C-alpha cells in the first residue's frame, strides 16, 4: 500500500565530483535537462548538490545559457538576501568547481523511504529533487517532484486493483467478501455489508492510505454497532 522511493526513483543518475569545473557542471545540467546534480566522492558517497540556482549566481552562466539580465525568482533572491546565509552565498558565487559551488550537506533520502515522507522532505527544504543513497551514503538514484506526482495521478484501474488485492484480498481480520468498490477520478466508493461498524471504519482508513486515493465515500452497512459514542470521529 505504501509506495517506496525505490518504486519511482530514477536509477541512472548524472553526477559530478568535487573537482568538476563550473562550466562542465553547467553542461551536465543542460544535457540531462535537470535542475540539480549530486556531487560524489571517489567511492560514490553524496557530499553535496549543485543546483541551477547555484550556477545562476554566476554572471557568465546567466548570459551564456539563459539571457542577459536574467534574475532568479523573487523568492530565491529574498531568501539569499536575508540572514547569515548571505556571506556564504556570495562566497559560493565566486566558486569555480562543484565543491566550491555545491550546497552541503546534501538533503538525501533512502530507497525504502515512503514517497509521502520524501515529498515532505522536499517541501521542508524547498528542493525539487532528492539524491537517493543506500545505508552507506552511496548514490543509487534520484527522485524528483515529477516522480512523486506520478503516484498521486495513478489510474483508477490501478487503484482499484491495489485495493482489491492488497486491502480486501489479503484481509485476515474480517470477512470482506461482501464488500464492493468503484473508483472514479481517484475517489473510492465502498459498498456492501460487514459484521461490525468498527470493521468498516478500519477498512475505510486503510483504503484512504492507498497511494493515489484522493478520497473515500463510505456507503458500507454493518450488522452490529460496536463503536461507542466516545469513539465517534
Amino acid at each position: 500500500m505504501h509506495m517506496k522511493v525505490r518504486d519511482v526513483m530514477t536509477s541512472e543518475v548524472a553526477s559530478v565530483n568535487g573537482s568538476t569545473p563550473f562550466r562542465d557542471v553547467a553542461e551536465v545540467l543542460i544535457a540531462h535537462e535537470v535542475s540539480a546534480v549530486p556531487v560524489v566522492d571517489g567511492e560514490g558517497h553524496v557530499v553535496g548538490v549543485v543546483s541551477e540556482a547555484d550556477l545562476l549566481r554566476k554572471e557568465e552562466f546567466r548570459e551564456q545559457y539563459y539571457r542577459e539580465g536574467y534574475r532568479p525568482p523573487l523568492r530565491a533572491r529574498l531568501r539569499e538576501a536575508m540572514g547569515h546565509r548571505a556571506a556564504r552565498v556570495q562566497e559560493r558565487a565566486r566558486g569555480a568547481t562543484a565543491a566550491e559551488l555545491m550546497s552541503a550537506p546534501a538533503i538525501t533520502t533512502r530507497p525504502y523511504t515512503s514517497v509521502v515522507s520524501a515529498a515532505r522532505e522536499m517541501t521542508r527544504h524547498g528542493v525539487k529533487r532528492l539524491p537517493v543513497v543506500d545505508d552507506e551514503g552511496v548514490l543509487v538514484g534520484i527522485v524528483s517532484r515529477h516522480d512523486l506526482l506520478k503516484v498521486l495521478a495513478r489510474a483508477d484501474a490501478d487503484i482499484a486493483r491495489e485495493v482489491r488485492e492488497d486491502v480486501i484480498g489479503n484481509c485476515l481480520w474480517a470477512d470482506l467478501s461482501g464488500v464492493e468498490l468503484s473508483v472514479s477520478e481517484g475517489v473510492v466508493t465502498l459498498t456492501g455489508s460487514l459484521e461490525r461498524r468498527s470493521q468498516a471504519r478500519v477498512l475505510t482508513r486503510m483504503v484512504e492510505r492507498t497511494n493515489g486515493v484522493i478520497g473515500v465515500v463510505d456507503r458500507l452497512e454493518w450488522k452490529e454497532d460496536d463503536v461507542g459514542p466516545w469513539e465517534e470521529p
Side-chain angles (χ1 to χ4, degrees):
M1 286 176 60
H2 303 290
M3 195 169 291
K4 307 298 183 182
V5 167
R6 60 174 171 262
D7 299 319
V8 298
M9 72 180 191
T10 299
S11 298
E12 297 182 4
V13 189
S15 63
V16 298
N17 58 53
S19 62
T20 303
F22 155 76
R23 290 186 179 276
D24 290 348
V25 176
E27 293 292 353
V28 170
L29 292 181
I30 292 169
H32 293 271
E33 299 182 341
V34 294
S35 60
V37 62
V39 183
V40 299
D41 63 15
E43 287 73 43
H45 301 100
V46 176
V47 296
V49 173
V50 177
S51 71
E52 188 179 52
D54 295 325
L55 300 188
L56 284 172
R57 298 188 184 100
K58 299 182 71 67
E59 189 66 30
E60 60 264 37
F61 180 77
R62 292 199 293 267
E63 294 182 356
Q64 180 177 354
Y65 296 103
Y66 285 83
R67 63 184 185 277
E68 187 174 357
Y70 175 89
R71 302 185 73 194
L74 176 60
R75 180 180 178 183
R77 285 184 277 126
L78 290 175
R79 184 172 59 245
E80 292 176 2
M82 299 175 64
H84 64 279
R85 294 185 58 212
R88 172 58 178 152
V89 168
Q90 293 176 3
E91 177 184 345
R92 282 162 52 192
R94 294 190 292 269
T97 65
E100 296 168 341
L101 292 162
M102 71 184 185
S103 299
I107 307 302
T108 62
T109 188
R110 302 293 179 86
Y112 47 78
T113 299
S114 71
V115 295
V116 174
S117 296
R120 288 174 179 167
E121 282 297 293
M122 288 186 189
T123 300
R124 182 179 301 115
H125 296 282
V127 296
K128 297 180 180 179
R129 59 187 64 231
L130 295 173
V132 184
V133 299
D134 62 17
D135 291 339
E136 302 300 323
V138 175
L139 182 67
V140 295
I142 197 160
V143 63
S144 68
R145 287 180 180 177
H146 180 72
D147 296 327
L148 300 183
L149 285 174
K150 293 178 183 177
V151 178
L152 299 178
R154 295 181 70 191
D156 290 341
D158 291 339
I159 296 173
R161 181 171 56 253
E162 182 171 344
V163 173
R164 289 193 180 99
E165 294 178 358
D166 294 351
V167 180
I168 296 177
N170 290 330
C171 178
L172 300 176
W173 47 269
D175 179 8
L176 302 184
S177 59
V179 175
E180 297 291 336
L181 70 94
S182 62
V183 186
S184 177
E185 300 296 328
V187 177
V188 180
T189 299
L190 297 172
T191 58
S193 178
L194 291 168
E195 285 295 323
R196 296 190 295 275
R197 184 182 180 185
S198 60
Q199 295 172 341
R201 292 182 62 178
V202 171
L203 174 60
T204 299
R205 290 172 180 172
M206 292 183 67
V207 173
E208 287 174 340
R209 297 175 61 186
T210 302
N211 289 306
V213 172
I214 306 301
V216 177
V217 178
D218 180 0
R219 294 179 179 167
L220 295 167
E221 298 178 351
W222 56 87
K223 298 177 181 179
E224 177 187 350
D225 187 355
D226 59 341
V227 176
W230 60 89
E231 297 180 275
E232 293 288 346

